[in-house]
Structures are given as structure tokens and as C-alpha cells.
Amino acid sequence: MAVKFFGQFLVERGAVDPEKLLAAIDLQERTNLKFGEMALAMGLISAADVERVHDAQRGEDLRFGDMAVKLGILSTEQMQQVLTRQKNNHLYIGEALVKIGALSSARVEELLEAFKADQAPYLASQVVIPAGVSNPAIWEMTADLTYKMLTRVANLAFRPGPCTLTQTLDAKHLAAAMDFSGSLRGRYLLAVSAGVQQAIARAILKESDVSGEPKEVLDDTLMEFINIVCGNVAAKATQFGHSLEIDPPIIFAENQQQGSVPVEFTALSFPLYFADGEEAELSLWIAS
């Protein structure tokens, strides 16, 4: 896999050692507070308010600040104050490396250009459905909502790869699926590595450590996650003139199981790459 994050690229190039990178990441994480964390630090909301917004976000596609305003927790003016503080305080990893003395600003710029050139073939700044696939706007929306829920619900940072047509499925550690019918028919599948499953489980169960949870509970959290995503997809599909009904989620495959896409489906693959080497893949099987 050639997809890399900037920090990984720097270590592989020998530009920084792993210890310096970890120190820069620690500084970055302490500086770049999420909206809820920033609002909490500013004394505008409580920890209970943060949980209330997070719970509401599972059922509606709204950013934290917009949801907090909708729920009456923040005013529009307060939301803007938090956004301004976030913007003014934001620290990129290159800037963090400069702050801790690992690199000069000039060297960071030089390496950043090399990184962009190296990663250009793998960048997917927006969801683009391959030509010839019917109803591309629906599938773009489905991928976009999946990305948003991985960020908002599971608190995961990742890089999406380009969407491609596929004829196979790699279940990775575990793959969960949900069939949909109505004006469009098909199957939504999310295959995840063990680390991604654990992160989703921590978010769904609201626990910091799920290592002691039985397999059945961890599997249920992945199914609950795709239930959240597909519920949002079905609700938003009406804006595109489609009515979708979703079946209960199932565990579709596991333990690196490989499979072929049935001939009656056109299958789209949306790979996802994580900084710690974990990975996931969204697959949409669209009935002909």
C-alpha cells in the first residue's frame, strides 16, 4: 500500500526519527481540540452537553456546532466564537515539528512538496463515482455519510482512497452488511481491520477500553454503526427522489475471508487508510 500520512512519509525518508514525530503528534493533539472539547474548555458547555450532541449526531447529518445550536445548547454567536478559536489555534504536524525543533520551516515546505508529489496518485479530495454507474449522486452521498460518521461517531481520522469498480470483497477482520430495497436495491458493506472495529466499539459502547468485551458484543457494535449510517442514508435519499427501506444488519464475513461479487451486482469499492496502519473498505453492491 503506497498511501501514507505526512508523518509516516517523514520517518521513512529519515527526515525525523519516530520519537520526534510522536512528540509533535502529542503537541498537535493537545493543541487541536475538537469542537466539543474547545467549547468545553471555553466554559460554554458541559460534559453532559457534549454527550447529548454526540447522541443526536447519530440520527442526523449535522456538525457538532450546528447540532448544538439546533438543540439550544449554544447560540449561533457562541458557535462562531468556538470555530474562530479552533481556526486560530490549529496546528499542522509540520508546524508542530518546527515548534519542537525537529525541522526548520524551510525543510518542512520542501518535504511537504515531495510528499504531495508522492501521494498525488492516491489522493481522493472528493468522492467520484466511476463513469457509467447509475445514480452516482446517491452513492456519493452514501460514501460521504460513511466518512462523516466514522469521524463524528467513531472519532477516527483517515484518508479515503479513490472509488473504483470491483469484483471481489476482502472481509479483513470483519465485514458487516445491510441490504436496502425500494426505488434502488443493493447491499451496503463495511469491512474493517481489528483496530478499526475496536475504535467503533469504544465509541458505540462509550467505553475507553473494550479489550475485555466478548466477540458478540464487538460484532454488534459494528452492525449498530452501519445501522446508524444506513438510517441516515435512507433519510437523506428522499432529497434525491428515492425511497429506501433497509433490512437489519448482519455479519457478512470475517477473518480475511475473500469472496466474489455476485454477477447481478455492480460493486463500488471505497478504501480507507488510517495513520496507525489500520484499514477499512466500504463496498456498495448495486443491483442491476
Side-chain angles (χ1 to χ4, degrees), residues 22-67:
L22 289 174
I25 290 172
D26 179 66
L27 174 61
Q28 187 185 36
E29 290 179 346
R30 286 185 283 111
T31 304
N32 295 346
L33 300 182
K34 298 179 179 65
F35 188 101
E37 294 170 338
M38 183 65 77
L40 189 62
M42 294 170 66
L44 298 175
I45 62 175
S46 66
D49 291 329
V50 173
E51 288 299 315
R52 185 181 168 200
V53 172
H54 284 163
D55 289 342
Q57 283 183 300
R58 297 186 181 190
E60 188 173 359
D61 177 25
L62 284 178
R63 293 174 298 182
F64 190 105
D66 294 323
M67 182 62 78

Side-chain angles (χ1 to χ4, degrees), residues 84-164:
T84 299
R85 181 76 65 86
Q86 280 186 306
K87 180 180 179 180
N88 291 342
N89 288 4
H90 188 79
L91 187 68
Y92 291 99
I93 188 64
E95 295 171 331
L97 287 163
V98 172
K99 281 184 175 293
I100 67 169
L103 291 171
S104 67
S105 296
R107 182 59 174 153
V108 166
E109 289 299 320
E110 177 186 339
L111 290 164
L112 185 57
E113 289 303 312
F115 171 72
K116 289 178 180 178
D118 178 80
Q119 292 295 289
Y122 313 103
L123 293 177
S125 57
Q126 61 182 7
V127 179
V128 178
I129 304 300
V133 177
S134 59
N135 301 295
I138 287 287
W139 316 128
E140 290 171 7
M141 176 269 290
T142 302
D144 181 63
L145 278 175
T146 301
Y147 300 165
K148 287 177 178 176
M149 292 301 170
L150 283 168
T151 301
R152 295 172 185 172
V153 175
N155 195 29
L156 285 166
F158 59 91
R159 287 182 59 192
C163 171
T164 59

Side-chain angles (χ1 to χ4, degrees), residues 243-259:
S243 176
L244 299 182
E245 297 179 5
I246 54 177
D247 292 348
I250 61 169
I251 297 301
F252 188 79
E254 54 188 325
N255 297 327
Q256 310 297 323
Q257 182 178 345
Q258 305 281 329

Side-chain angles (χ1 to χ4, degrees), residues 168-177 189-194 196-197 219 222 251-260 279-283 285:
T168 60
L169 170 71
D170 176 4
K172 305 189 187 303
H173 175 69
L174 187 71
L189 300 102
L190 185 64
V192 298
S193 60
V196 175
Q197 183 193 22
D219 290 355
L222 182 60
I251 297 301
F252 188 79
E254 54 188 325
N255 297 327
Q256 310 297 323
Q257 182 178 345
Q258 305 281 329
S260 298
E279 58 183 351
E281 180 181 2
L282 164 63
S283 294
W285 295 6

Side-chain angles (χ1 to χ4, degrees), residues 179-196:
D179 289 349
F180 55 88
S181 58
S183 56
L184 298 171
R185 294 188 306 107
R187 177 170 294 158
Y188 176 104
L189 300 102
L190 185 64
V192 298
S193 60
V196 175

